[in-house]
Amino acid sequence: MKKIIQIYKKDHTYIVSHIRGIMSSLPKELLENSKSIFKKYKYIELMYSVDGNFKQNSPSVYKNKSISEAMNSDKSQYFSNIDLKDNDVFISSPYVHHTSGNPSISVVQRMGDIYYVIDINMILLFEELKLIEYNSIHEKTIKFVYIFGASILGFISLSLIGYGAYVLAALMFSLAESDFLHDVFKSIVAVTIGLAMFDLSRQIIEQEVLFKTFHKEKNREFKILGKFLVSIIIALSIETLMVVFKIVLDDYTNMLSAFYLLIGTTIMFVGLAYFQKTVTANKVEEE
């Protein structure tokens, strides 16, 4: 909703001009021509009329249904600050629609003693005006691939977390005879990598599917990569600690290998720190 309002404020003149143009082109008998209007303007969600006493005198007409429950209901609270002359148009501020839950605006046009109210879905309107990314076949295909790939990652992450829980449960209930320390670290590593992959899957769904059409955040890919690297480095650090403990307890001759592994993990830490510093510096310069 916040991003929708930002777009509305930024392109307010263009949006209002478009809506007024649409209202001037609509037939006078709006409700009688509702089917053709809904077919032509897909962003219109609802239409109804209000009489001179501010009481609804028509059913609430939707694209696929008509509801009469609101007839004769008092709408005066919505018209308290509206003073329209004949053929004047009033456009409300954005709000969340009570039936669809979508960001919406209401448009009121006076024709004689009758007020016609039209509720508009702002997301569909902005897509029509190309203010947000248009859902073409190409875009839908890309979204499907992202959803499919992210779902596989999510399934793998749940499998890793489940495996970590199984290893720990087997160890706690003595269902398997093995090295306690080794199995504990194995469980930790599996759960950590699982969480990292789940976070990556969630980021892909949010950034490339759910909220991609609303805005394009700068450095978005870097943020996703940074979070994933942090989780991987944590898992690698735990693995390094496990190797060091095993070598200390079993065989000191392999300590040099553990040292190299520790050096490699440290280099990854330094690289991640430099990466984060560079991304932050670029963000500050752009602002």
Side-chain angles (χ1 to χ4, degrees):
M1 183 66 180
K2 180 180 178 181
K3 295 298 178 182
I4 290 295
I5 293 177
Q6 288 177 351
I7 295 173
Y8 182 75
K9 289 181 178 179
K10 179 181 177 182
D11 298 286
H12 180 266
T13 303
Y14 173 53
I15 296 169
V16 169
S17 176
H18 177 79
I19 293 175
R20 290 185 180 275
I22 293 299
M23 296 302 296
S24 63
S25 65
L26 293 178
K28 292 184 178 181
E29 295 77 16
L30 292 182
L31 300 180
E32 289 77 2
N33 295 275
S34 60
K35 290 185 178 180
S36 61
I37 293 174
F38 281 128
K39 185 176 181 180
K40 185 175 182 180
Y41 306 105
K42 299 184 183 300
Y43 44 79
I44 295 180
E45 290 186 323
L46 166 65
M47 294 190 297
Y48 63 89
S49 62
V50 177
D51 62 22
N53 296 319
F54 304 124
K55 288 188 177 182
Q56 185 171 336
N57 62 353
S58 75
S60 298
V61 182
Y62 295 83
K63 292 181 180 179
N64 301 315
K65 60 183 179 180
S66 179
I67 300 176
S68 302
E69 296 177 358
M71 285 190 66
N72 298 319
S73 60
D74 186 14
K75 301 291 183 179
S76 58
Q77 68 271 23
Y78 302 119
F79 290 82
S80 58
N81 296 321
I82 301 177
D83 183 17
L84 295 178
K85 298 180 180 179
D86 193 20
N87 292 324
D88 278 354
V89 175
F90 169 81
I91 302 174
S92 73
S93 300
Y95 63 93
V96 177
H97 202 273
H98 66 283
T99 57
S100 65
N102 294 318
S104 304
I105 52 177
S106 291
V107 182
V108 181
Q109 184 173 30
R110 180 176 179 177
M111 295 185 181
D113 293 330
I114 302 298
Y115 298 87
Y116 289 98
V117 182
I118 296 178
D119 292 346
I120 294 178
N121 185 321
M122 296 180 70
I123 296 177
L124 297 181
L125 173 63
F126 290 176
E127 284 183 347
E128 180 73 19
L129 298 178
K130 303 298 189 293
L131 297 177
I132 57 178
E133 203 166 293
Y134 187 70
N135 289 325
S136 62
I137 296 177
H138 174 263
E139 191 64 29
K140 290 179 180 178
T141 303
I142 293 176
K143 284 187 176 182
F144 172 78
V145 173
Y146 273 120
I147 292 174
F148 183 70
S151 299
I152 294 176
L153 281 176
F155 177 76
I156 294 174
S157 68
L158 292 177
S159 300
L160 285 171
I161 294 172
Y163 174 74
Y166 168 77
V167 171
L168 184 61
L171 185 64
M172 293 294 102
F173 293 100
S174 301
L175 298 178
E177 295 182 1
S178 58
D179 187 354
F180 179 84
L181 187 63
H182 178 270
D183 283 350
V184 168
F185 277 106
K186 183 189 293 185
S187 176
I188 294 173
V189 170
V191 172
T192 304
I193 295 178
L195 289 174
M197 296 188 68
F198 179 80
D199 187 62
L200 178 61
S201 174
R202 179 182 64 82
Q203 291 285 337
I204 291 174
I205 291 293
E206 289 182 356
Q207 302 293 342
E208 300 296 338
V209 179
L210 295 180
F211 306 124
K212 183 177 180 180
T213 57
F214 295 154
H215 69 293
K216 293 187 176 181
E217 184 181 355
K218 294 181 179 180
N219 299 324
R220 180 184 63 204
E221 296 82 2
F222 293 145
K223 289 181 179 180
I224 297 175
L225 179 61
K227 288 184 177 181
F228 183 70
L229 286 177
V230 168
S231 301
I232 294 301
I233 290 175
I234 291 174
L236 186 59
S237 301
I238 295 173
E239 187 72 23
T240 302
L241 187 62
M242 181 186 72
V243 171
V244 171
F245 282 164
K246 287 183 66 67
I247 290 175
V248 169
L249 295 175
D250 295 335
D251 186 7
Y252 282 97
T253 58
N254 293 322
M255 183 60 75
L256 187 61
S257 299
F259 175 75
Y260 289 147
L261 184 59
L262 186 61
I263 291 296
T265 305
T266 304
I267 292 174
M268 289 193 68
F269 268 115
V270 174
L272 178 62
Y274 178 76
F275 172 80
Q276 294 284 14
K277 180 181 178 181
T278 304
V279 171
T280 304
N282 290 337
K283 183 177 180 180
V284 172
E285 289 179 0
E286 290 174 356
E287 293 177 352

